[in-house]
Amino acid sequence: MVAPSLIPRRPGDKVKTDRRDAVELARLSRSGDLTAVYVPTVEDEAIRDLCRARDAARVTLKDTKLRLKAFLLRLGLHYVGRADWNAAHKRYLAKVVCPTPAQQIVFQESVRAVDEQVDRLQRLEAELRALAPQWHRYPVVQALQALRGVRWVVALTIVAELGDLTRFDNPRQLAAFVGLVPSEYSSGAARRQGGITKAGNGRARRQRESGASRSLASTAVGDARRLPWGSSSRITSGALPYAGDSRSSSGAAFRVWRSWTTSSGIS
């Protein structure tokens, strides 16, 4: 199966018939100009849909919390605690009194909306934990958690979004699929590279960057780490070329991912 949006078309071609389409597709297939797409199985797509529903609930919860905090800030009510949405913050919210009854209603409904979104997110995560162990790709999810900074949700989302990893011939194709390769505008002897392209599957890229940022936050140069499938690796100074820069976590994520794919035989 090929991607219809990637089929080359001449701008001046205004005649479309089944015969012309068949001849054109045969010619493009022979020349290798058709881009194949991955079609997930029904089971893979079901787990992916549940992961995306959980991510949508997380985003909605975040927006709901921001709206409540913005409303309180507009009323001049500032929380001076260390962290938001912990036990101390909830006790503070229980004592908030707005200037007018109408604003108090808005505040109470906003707090209730946050609670409802928290319950929704917890329900979806519980369903994921109940269904994921029955998935045939769950061993890959467990193996990915051997990487430092990769939690259960991160590993499950990455595997659900990427599907069959054997369709990638090398780690560069995998990095390009999730948009972790740098953009480039070069000509002749001049070579200009920019930030990562952020093309392709954004959910898998964000989860991979999230796991890499947590890993880099607690890993010093030279620390040994345990990689899945019994292989080991060591972070060197070359693995962290731009420590503190936003792109360093993306580069380290690709290096960790390349070590994982190599050790698993996907190269």
Side-chain angles (χ1 to χ4, degrees), residues 5-60:
S5 60
L6 299 180
I7 297 177
R9 300 184 184 278
R10 292 186 295 272
D13 191 359
K14 303 298 183 181
V15 179
K16 180 189 180 305
T17 63
D18 292 342
R19 179 182 177 84
R20 289 172 63 93
D21 288 345
V23 173
E24 184 68 13
L25 289 175
R27 185 183 65 80
L28 293 174
S29 177
R30 184 177 58 184
S31 61
D33 292 332
L34 295 179
T35 303
V37 295
Y38 168 70
V39 181
T41 64
V42 175
E43 185 181 5
D44 292 349
E45 190 173 12
I47 295 295
R48 186 183 66 182
D49 289 341
L50 190 54
C51 288
R52 290 182 177 182
R54 183 257 171 202
D55 188 65
R58 178 191 61 82
V59 174
T60 303

Side-chain angles (χ1 to χ4, degrees), residues 52-219:
R52 290 182 177 182
R54 183 257 171 202
D55 188 65
R58 178 191 61 82
V59 174
T60 303
L61 174 60
K62 180 180 179 181
D63 294 341
T64 305
K65 289 180 177 180
L66 287 176
R67 283 194 296 269
L68 175 57
K69 293 176 65 176
F71 176 74
L72 294 177
L73 185 63
R74 185 162 54 87
L75 297 180
L77 301 174
H78 303 274
Y79 175 65
V80 294
R82 287 189 174 183
D84 294 337
W85 309 110
N86 54 11
H89 189 206
K90 292 180 180 179
R91 289 193 297 268
Y92 165 78
L93 293 177
K95 300 177 182 179
V96 168
V97 178
C98 297
T100 65
Q103 291 173 329
Q104 186 68 24
I105 293 175
V106 175
F107 167 73
Q108 293 175 350
E109 289 297 325
S110 299
V111 173
R112 187 175 294 109
V114 171
D115 295 337
E116 291 174 354
Q117 294 303 322
V118 170
D119 294 339
R120 177 192 175 196
L121 181 60
Q122 292 176 349
R123 288 196 306 269
L124 289 172
E125 289 185 351
E127 294 294 341
L128 269 176
R129 292 190 178 275
L131 296 176
Q134 307 171 16
W135 189 29
H136 66 100
R137 300 193 190 278
Y138 192 68
V140 183
V141 176
Q142 293 177 310
L144 272 180
Q145 295 178 70
L147 294 173
R148 182 177 298 180
V150 179
R151 300 178 302 175
W152 182 82
V153 173
V154 173
L156 182 64
T157 303
I158 290 176
V159 177
E161 291 293 338
L162 297 181
D164 186 10
L165 295 176
T166 58
R167 58 196 172 101
F168 300 105
D169 295 333
N170 51 64
R172 288 187 176 182
Q173 290 185 359
L174 177 59
F177 180 77
V178 296
L180 289 176
V181 295
S183 58
E184 184 173 353
Y185 186 81
S186 302
S187 178
R191 186 183 183 188
R192 300 182 181 90
Q193 287 186 319
I196 59 175
T197 61
K198 296 185 179 181
N201 196 307
R203 291 182 177 88
R205 179 182 66 255
R206 286 190 296 270
Q207 293 294 339
R208 188 55 247 161
E209 290 178 344
S210 175
S213 62
R214 282 191 295 270
S215 176
L216 293 178
S218 59
T219 304

